Amino acid sequence: MVKYILKRLGYILIALFVIVTVTFFLMRIAPGSPFASEKSVPPEIQQALNEEYGLDNPWYVQYKDYLISTAKFDFGESMKYKGRSTNDMISESFPISLTLGIEAMILAVGLGVLIGVVSALYHNKFPDYLGTTFAVLGISVPSFILAGLLQYFVGLKMQLLPISGWNGFVYSILPALAIAITHMGFIAKLTRSSMLEQNHSEYVKMARAKGIGKWTTVFKHTLRNALLPVVTYLGPLAAGVITGSFIVEQIFAIPGLGKYFVTSITNRDYTVIMGTTVFYSIILLFAVLLVDILYGLIDPRIKLKGAKK
């Protein structure tokens, strides 16, 4: 296991190097300048700004400086938010995005597994049809459309929950649902398919022959094996929750990191774009590693490639 983790950490470092490199050069080859929109700025002041941020240096000097800064986890000062560093913006806004993401993941996994289990236990009956319909609708409708629908019907028409802002748990319910429903549909379909497969296995037939109840069989025998595909999906789920929250945060006016990421793209704020991209890449790469380790812990029969026997 230790050997496997060290090997994966090496791959993570290589992946981060590639991500940093690609992001840097994409920012540099894109047309325009971070200060191009500031029409009233005299040329000498714009030149001074370029010198301050090192934009007048050769590309290889800028690339070297950025690699060194990134290795130190120093993402530089924002080019648009004067006097604010990218690190400060991340530390201030990421806890909000993380809270929203965790809540969305709990909803997606919890409700998705529940719907999948119920659908499998009542196969080809009304609960199965209802759960499958809900899962297909969840997969088909994008999160930003769900966000607008939830705002309109639940927030404006029913006036049950606030439609924007961030001032306590109640403000996170609608955006978390908007993010979670799509992933909930995927998880429900995965769980249902896996449960149906497990229900035809010999050990389940043996448990039922012994007179063990339906739900007891699920919790003691079937569910653990049925959750393996769901665990595999947790890596893409983390990616979808984090990246999907960018637009949803904008729709619900949530002061998370997605707000800075979206505005930094329109403002061509190089340091914020690259800093947030690298930061999220680190989180996602480690999330995939944790999922792989968890996969092996849930089913000890699985041998991690590179792990000690």
Side-chain angles (χ1 to χ4, degrees):
M1 178 66 76
V2 174
K3 183 179 178 181
Y4 171 78
I5 293 175
L6 292 175
K7 186 176 181 180
R8 287 295 301 273
L9 288 175
Y11 289 146
I12 287 175
L13 290 176
I14 296 173
L16 284 174
F17 174 77
V18 173
I19 290 169
V20 170
T21 301
V22 171
T23 305
F24 174 86
F25 285 106
L26 285 177
M27 290 298 98
R28 290 304 181 268
I29 65 177
S33 163
F35 312 113
S37 60
E38 301 176 13
K39 305 293 185 181
S40 59
V41 176
E44 58 271 15
I45 295 181
Q46 187 161 337
Q47 178 62 30
L49 289 172
N50 287 334
E51 291 178 1
E52 179 182 353
Y53 290 100
L55 297 179
D56 60 337
N57 293 329
W59 67 266
Y60 52 85
V61 175
Q62 296 182 46
Y63 178 58
K64 179 205 68 173
D65 292 341
Y66 188 69
L67 283 180
I68 294 173
S69 299
T70 303
K72 298 177 181 177
F73 291 96
D74 179 11
F75 299 121
E77 185 175 333
S78 170
M79 296 179 179
K80 290 293 183 179
Y81 297 91
K82 303 302 180 183
R84 300 201 63 191
S85 70
T86 304
N87 291 59
D88 290 338
M89 295 164 69
I90 291 174
S91 62
E92 173 189 303
S93 56
F94 180 67
I96 297 174
S97 297
L98 181 62
T99 301
L100 181 61
I102 290 174
E103 187 175 338
M105 287 188 68
I106 292 173
L107 286 172
V109 174
L111 295 179
V113 169
L114 178 62
I115 292 171
V117 169
V118 172
S119 296
L121 289 180
Y122 297 94
H123 184 46
N124 288 334
K125 296 181 181 178
F126 177 74
D128 184 21
Y129 300 143
L130 182 63
T132 302
T133 301
F134 184 78
V136 171
L137 287 175
I139 294 171
S140 304
V141 183
S143 59
F144 60 87
I145 294 179
L146 287 171
L149 293 174
L150 289 172
Q151 281 182 322
Y152 181 74
F153 288 105
V154 181
L156 290 178
K157 289 295 186 180
M158 301 180 185
Q159 296 186 349
L160 296 177
L161 294 168
I163 61 173
S164 65
W166 188 264
N167 189 23
F169 172 75
V170 69
Y171 285 80
S172 68
I173 296 176
L174 288 184
L177 278 173
I179 298 171
I181 288 175
T182 298
H183 304 287
M184 188 191 308
F186 277 109
I187 292 174
K189 295 286 286 182
L190 284 173
T191 306
R192 177 183 179 275
S193 300
S194 186
M195 283 287 297
L196 289 175
E197 181 180 347
Q198 295 297 324
N199 285 342
H200 292 91
S201 61
E202 294 299 326
Y203 72 93
V204 172
K205 294 178 181 178
M206 180 66 69
R208 289 178 179 174
K210 292 180 179 178
I212 300 176
K214 182 185 296 184
W215 286 99
T216 303
T217 304
V218 168
F219 288 112
K220 284 191 174 182
H221 303 284
T222 315
L223 190 58
R224 179 172 179 175
N225 291 330
L227 284 180
L228 290 176
V230 177
V231 173
T232 307
Y233 182 67
L234 288 181
L237 171 62
V241 165
I242 292 175
T243 56
S245 67
F246 288 167
I247 305 301
V248 172
E249 285 179 9
Q250 288 289 97
I251 294 173
F252 285 93
I254 296 173
L257 191 53
K259 164 190 167 185
Y260 290 116
F261 185 77
V262 173
T263 55
S264 68
I265 294 175
T266 57
N267 291 334
R268 297 186 56 79
D269 194 342
Y270 291 157
T271 52
V272 177
I273 293 174
M274 293 189 291
T276 51
T277 300
V278 173
F279 179 73
Y280 272 125
S281 299
I282 293 172
I283 293 175
L284 297 181
L285 288 170
F286 277 98
V288 173
L289 173 60
L290 289 175
V291 167
D292 289 344
I293 295 173
L294 183 62
Y295 197 82
L297 293 176
I298 290 178
D299 191 348
R301 294 171 299 175
I302 297 173
K303 296 296 183 181
L304 298 175
K305 188 176 180 181
K308 292 182 178 180
K309 302 295 184 182

